[in-house]
Every structure is written in C-alpha cells, then in structure tokens.
Amino acid sequence: MKVIENYFYTKSHEWIQLLEDGTALIGLSDYAQNELGDLVFVNLPEVGDDLIVGEMFADVESVKAVSDVFAPINGKVLEINEELLDAPQKINEDPYGAWFVKVEGDVKPETLLDATAYQEYLTELEA
Amino acid sequence: MELKTPLYETHLSIKGKMVPFAGYLMPVQYEHGILAEHKAVREQCGLFDVSHMGEIVCSGKDALLNINYLLSNDFTEMEAGSCRYSPMCNEQGGVVDDLIVYKLNDEAYFIVVNASNKDKDYAWMKAHQHGNVEFKDLSGDIAQLALQGPKAEAILSRLCTELPDKYYSFKANVDVGGLKALVSRTGYTGEDGFEIYLANKDAAALWEMLMQEGQADGLLPCGLGARDTLRLEAAMPLYGHEMNDEITPLETNLKFAVKLNKAAFIGKEALLTQTVKRTRVGLKVIGRGIVREAMPVYKEDQKIGVTTSGTMSPTLNAAIAMALIDKEYKEMGTKVEVEVRGRRVEAEIVRLPFYKK
C-alpha cells in the first residue's frame, strides 16, 4: 500500500498534509480505501464545523458498509471538497489527492505517525 | 472455527477477501471490487462459489406427501427435471426457511436451502416427517457454483452439451468438461444463468475450467458482496432480512408460493386466518444517503415500518431498499422518510423489482 512522505497519519488511517499557509488537508489513506472497497457515498461536515481530535467528522460508505472518519487534530473546517460528494470513487482512485476537508487548527505532529511509522504500523497489521 | 468450502484455496490464490458468513469463510469480493463484479454479471458473466448452501434429499414412497406437508407451495403437479421455489413455514405461518425443490423423480426430491439455516431445516424436516420417507443431508459432500449473466449460456455450452433450456429446470448427471454434475437454470441475480452442483473434489477443477473458458467473454469471479447487490436489485427476498420466523410469506409478497387451497401443511391454519397488515415494498432514496437494513420508516411523525435490506444500486446508481411497511402506505409514489443514523432521508415507494433484464 502506498504511503506518502511528508504526510502524517493516524492509526485509524486518516492522513493529514500540512500546507505552507498553516492550514491542513485531511483524507483517507490508500490502505483504508483498499480495505473499504468501492466507495459510493461520502458525508462531509460543513464549513465552520469544529473538529475534535479522535471524534468522527465524516463518514464514507462502500457498497457493503458505512465507516466513520475521525479527526486527527482539533480545528475548524475552512473548506470541504465538494467534488467528493458527487464522485466518492475519487477516494479509491487517488486517496492522497482526494482530500475531505481543509482545516485550520492545532497540529501536534508528536501525536501523529509520520510516513515511516505509519508504514511500520501497516506492516504489523498485515503480518 | 469457520468451515471452508472446497474452493477456499482457489479464493486465496485469486485474492478473494475472505469474511465469515453463515459459519463459512467466504469471499466477499475479489480484486476488481464489488462494482466491477456486479457489472460483469449484468453485462457479461460472473462466477460465484455458493458451496456454503445446503442440500437435502427427500426420498421414499411418501416423499411427495412429506414435502407437500412441510412446504407451502404445491408440488403435486410437477414434472421431474423442474425446480420450484417455496417457503417452509412454522405453525404460526412464520418462515423457517425459503428453499428450492428439484424433482429428481416421483420418489426423490433434491432440496436446496440457505447456508445459515441448513442444520435447523434438516432437524425440522426430520421432526415432522411421516410415513415411508428419508431425509438425507448432503451439504457436506456437495459443492455449488453459480455462473450468472448474459454470456453464461455461451460459456457453459462449450463445456456441456445438455444444458437445461427452461428457467427453473435442470438436468442431472450431465457431463461438464468431463465432470459429473447437476445443472439447473436458476440463480439469485436477476440474470439468465446456471447453478452447478457437483462433488466437492471436482469443484476446484470446474472453477478453473469455467474461468478459463469465460476469460474472453469477460467472466469475473464474484463474491458475496455482488451477490447481495444483484439479488437486491432483482428484489429477491433473503432469509433473515425480508422474512424470518415472525414474518409470514403473505406479508413479504410471496403469495405465489403459498397454496392455501391444497391439503393441510404446516402453517396453513395460521396463514388462512391471518389479517395481513404489512407488506414488502421497494424504496428509492431521493435524499442524500444510503439506507441499510433495520432502519425505521416514517410517514410524517408516524412510524410505518422498517427496512429489511438496502444498498447503493450499481445499475441504477441510486440508493435502494426493501422495507416491510403498513399496507395502507404501499401506493407507488408515496413519499416516506427513513431514519439513517439519526438523520431523516427522503425516499419514495417504487415498483419491485428495481431491475429486470
């Protein structure tokens, strides 16, 4: 499974990319999309909603089931990726490009996994 | 510990995603994914391992008498070589299981039952048998493959020269690529197709042969995920969802398989006197969201029923569901709301099936 350098990750398989202007993008990892299978529906929060670390802020549905997506940081939603609402399959096709929300918030890298740590975590999971 | 079908190793070798289902480890999908598998069955062909299903043979001089007493459909006028669907009811008219009866001859019937119910069914049949009859559970010895889709006939006819012509008919003891099998023109997808029963030891060889033969026709291996989306589009009821011990076949619109004018059968009295208050309907979701099973259905503030199955329909590209609702709201076009994880989603009552070939 693909893991991107310079992104941070959670054990629940969200990724977070820090942008130069201090905001961040959040999405689901390649491992997650592969485990979930074909995604057919996405529910996103609204602009202005608060994210609370560890709490669900979105959900995705595959043909078979619904899964929650958890906030990796505390923050506020600045923008949502509306394209995903009509084309949830983009998460399967390009998991690291298909961001869910753009947030401003309190990023604590020490509470997240870097690419190397996430890769190790995946290796453990698949062992 | 889950059981494995004789195709377990085959599934692993082609990257089947294995999940526990009805006591077996079964592939929910393969590497192409549920949507591609679903599409293959609608447009080309798909191959399913359904060896977890149960097979029970009822034989003896009183075989017909017994199945007519156990099952709600009527088997009196039935030709050898044909198949017939039926619920099997309890005394209250609820459903013990739904199944398909294959008539081998006047004194032998091959009965195919749901995987999750096979032990219960076998015990039920034995407990209610009478006269000169024997029930034999062959589930552990028989594998079943389902070849489904518009190209199924073309593919299978290259390996077998004696295919059943008519829907719901079968041929026993035919040669499929050198293997002995029973082949029926049946399925659970809403497409033309075949179900092939054969000895466990031959299952992997037949799978390989079919996959190879169908390669140029776009044949894909398909898992339980696609099996469920396909049967739901075709509005085929599934035990444990559209019916159970407490839902009668009259409530779930299976009246065609309940013959109340035949001699006594288990559940007849209850079904004769039942005032049917609820009915099975199709729902098409208008709002945003996917409706799943066991979600409450509302008309304004009144709860009028509950969903029994639901999914995103790959063919219609819309969320669909079946529900058991109060009969008075069954009119096509009626707008209702379904509560999806705390949120009301609008839906409309539509004609079943959602998809017809």
Side-chain angles (χ1 to χ4, degrees):
Chain A
M1 291 307 131
K2 216 163 108 185
V3 172
I4 301 242
E5 289 296 324
N6 301 324
Y7 279 37
F8 290 96
Y9 301 86
T10 65
K11 287 195 169 177
S12 47
H13 307 289
E14 292 84 13
W15 57 255
I16 176 162
Q17 179 192 14
L18 307 181
L19 303 178
E20 282 178 8
D21 62 1
T23 63
L25 298 176
I26 299 171
L28 271 183
S29 75
D30 189 28
Y31 177 87
Q33 71 77 20
N34 186 61
E35 283 295 301
L36 294 167
D38 295 324
L39 293 174
V40 290
F41 185 75
V42 184
N43 230 342
L44 296 177
E46 287 176 14
V47 172
D49 282 0
D50 287 321
L51 296 197
I52 298 164
V53 68
E55 292 196 3
M56 78 97 124
F57 72 95
D59 56 63
V60 291
E61 297 200 37
S62 68
V63 182
K64 288 302 288 177
V66 55
S67 309
D68 291 338
V69 185
F70 301 98
I73 60 165
N74 289 320
K76 195 178 267 304
V77 178
L78 296 176
E79 216 180 302
I80 61 168
N81 187 357
E82 291 195 19
E83 197 190 3
L84 294 186
L85 298 176
D86 293 324
Q89 71 274 13
K90 292 213 183 302
I91 301 163
N92 294 114
E93 292 161 3
D94 180 18
Y96 294 111
W99 55 278
F100 284 44
V101 288
K102 187 181 206 180
V103 295
E104 74 178 347
D106 183 17
V107 183
K108 293 197 177 81
E110 67 277 12
T111 65
L112 300 163
L113 303 172
D114 63 16
T116 312
Y118 183 59
Q119 184 65 66
E120 280 169 13
Y121 175 61
L122 293 185
T123 311
E124 267 171 49
L125 285 184
E126 280 166 358
Chain B
M1 188 64 194
E2 278 86 15
L3 299 169
K4 293 168 180 173
T5 77
L7 290 163
Y8 178 77
E9 296 297 331
T10 304
H11 300 317
L12 292 187
S13 73
I14 53 173
K15 300 196 180 115
K17 205 176 259 185
M18 308 305 284
V19 298
F21 179 80
Y24 285 79
L25 276 176
M26 299 298 291
V28 67
Q29 64 165 81
Y30 300 87
E31 57 183 333
H32 295 286
I34 295 174
L35 295 177
E37 293 170 17
H38 183 106
K39 194 161 184 259
V41 173
R42 288 278 178 255
E43 295 173 7
Q44 273 95 27
C45 199
L47 181 61
F48 302 77
D49 173 18
V50 281
S51 302
H52 58 314
M53 300 288 283
E55 294 88 8
I56 296 168
V57 168
C58 167
S59 61
K61 287 220 172 329
D62 296 323
L64 174 62
L65 214 60
N66 275 268
I67 61 162
N68 260 340
Y69 177 66
L70 281 167
L71 308 177
S72 64
N73 210 334
D74 191 352
F75 298 86
T76 314
E77 302 289 324
M78 187 180 181
E79 283 175 29
S82 60
C83 312
R84 190 162 289 172
Y85 172 85
S86 182
M88 177 162 72
C89 292
N90 58 32
E91 295 290 354
Q92 293 72 42
V95 182
V96 177
D97 199 4
D98 68 331
L99 45 80
I100 298 180
V101 174
Y102 291 60
K103 181 170 178 177
L104 300 170
N105 58 57
D106 285 343
E107 294 184 4
Y109 297 83
F110 180 75
I111 306 170
V112 181
V113 302
N114 280 301
S116 51
N117 289 336
K118 59 190 173 193
D119 295 340
K120 176 182 80 169
D121 291 350
Y122 182 57
W124 179 268
M125 290 170 180
K126 300 268 282 184
H128 294 89
Q129 73 176 65
H130 59 283
N132 183 348
V133 71
E134 186 191 13
F135 286 92
K136 219 169 172 176
D137 183 2
L138 301 180
S139 306
D141 307 323
I142 296 180
Q144 185 190 347
L145 273 58
L147 186 72
Q148 300 281 303
K151 303 255 177 83
E153 183 175 23
I155 295 167
L156 194 55
S157 65
R158 298 197 289 267
L159 295 169
C160 176
T161 54
E162 300 174 80
L163 293 183
D165 293 325
K166 279 203 324 233
Y167 186 52
Y168 265 61
S169 72
F170 73 93
K171 298 223 167 136
N173 290 318
V174 298
D175 179 313
V176 184
L179 305 169
K180 203 178 90 174
L182 184 157
V183 180
S184 63
R185 200 152 198 156
T186 49
Y188 200 46
T189 60
E191 296 298 330
D192 184 24
F194 300 88
E195 291 177 305
I196 307 163
Y197 302 83
L198 75 175
N200 281 343
K201 65 174 172 56
D202 294 333
L206 179 61
W207 178 280
E208 292 304 330
M209 225 180 315
L210 287 168
M211 284 310 304
Q212 205 154 14
E213 195 60 53
Q215 200 173 23
D217 297 282
L219 176 65
L220 284 188
C222 298
L224 293 179
R227 184 167 162 87
D228 194 50
T229 53
L230 289 158
R231 72 96 194 166
L232 226 164
E233 284 185 348
M236 291 168 153
L238 173 59
Y239 190 85
H241 296 254
E242 282 69 41
M243 71 196 104
N244 61 34
D245 291 319
E246 291 172 351
I247 302 172
T248 76
L250 301 180
E251 294 172 307
T252 200
N253 299 5
L254 298 173
K255 209 172 169 180
F256 74 93
V258 179
K259 299 291 158 52
L260 291 173
N261 52 2
K262 72 166 184 171
F265 65 90
I266 302 173
K268 183 180 176 184
E269 290 308 313
L271 293 169
L272 268 175
T273 54
Q274 184 183 27
T275 314
V276 179
K277 292 198 183 110
R278 50 185 183 171
T279 189
R280 173 162 59 106
V281 296
L283 295 178
K284 188 171 172 186
V285 176
I286 302 168
R288 272 185 49 80
I290 299 177
V291 168
R292 308 283 180 179
E293 66 173 294
M295 293 179 168
V297 181
Y298 291 90
K299 180 74 192 173
E300 276 118 40
D301 285 335
Q302 194 182 349
K303 188 183 167 193
I304 59 166
V306 65
T307 58
T308 51
S309 297
T311 193
M312 184 74 182
S313 156
T315 307
L316 305 178
N317 197 23
I320 57 169
M322 289 194 277
L324 267 184
I325 64 160
D326 192 329
K327 228 168 80 172
E328 62 179 284
Y329 298 99
K330 70 172 186 182
E331 218 52 56
M332 299 301 144
T334 304
K335 299 279 199 300
V336 297
E337 286 184 320
V338 183
E339 192 181 309
V340 181
R341 297 188 303 285
R343 199 166 56 90
R344 292 274 185 103
V345 175
E346 197 184 8
E348 180 185 8
I349 294 178
V350 297
R351 200 173 299 282
L352 292 177
F354 300 101
Y355 167 87
K356 204 167 188 228
K357 72 169 158 68

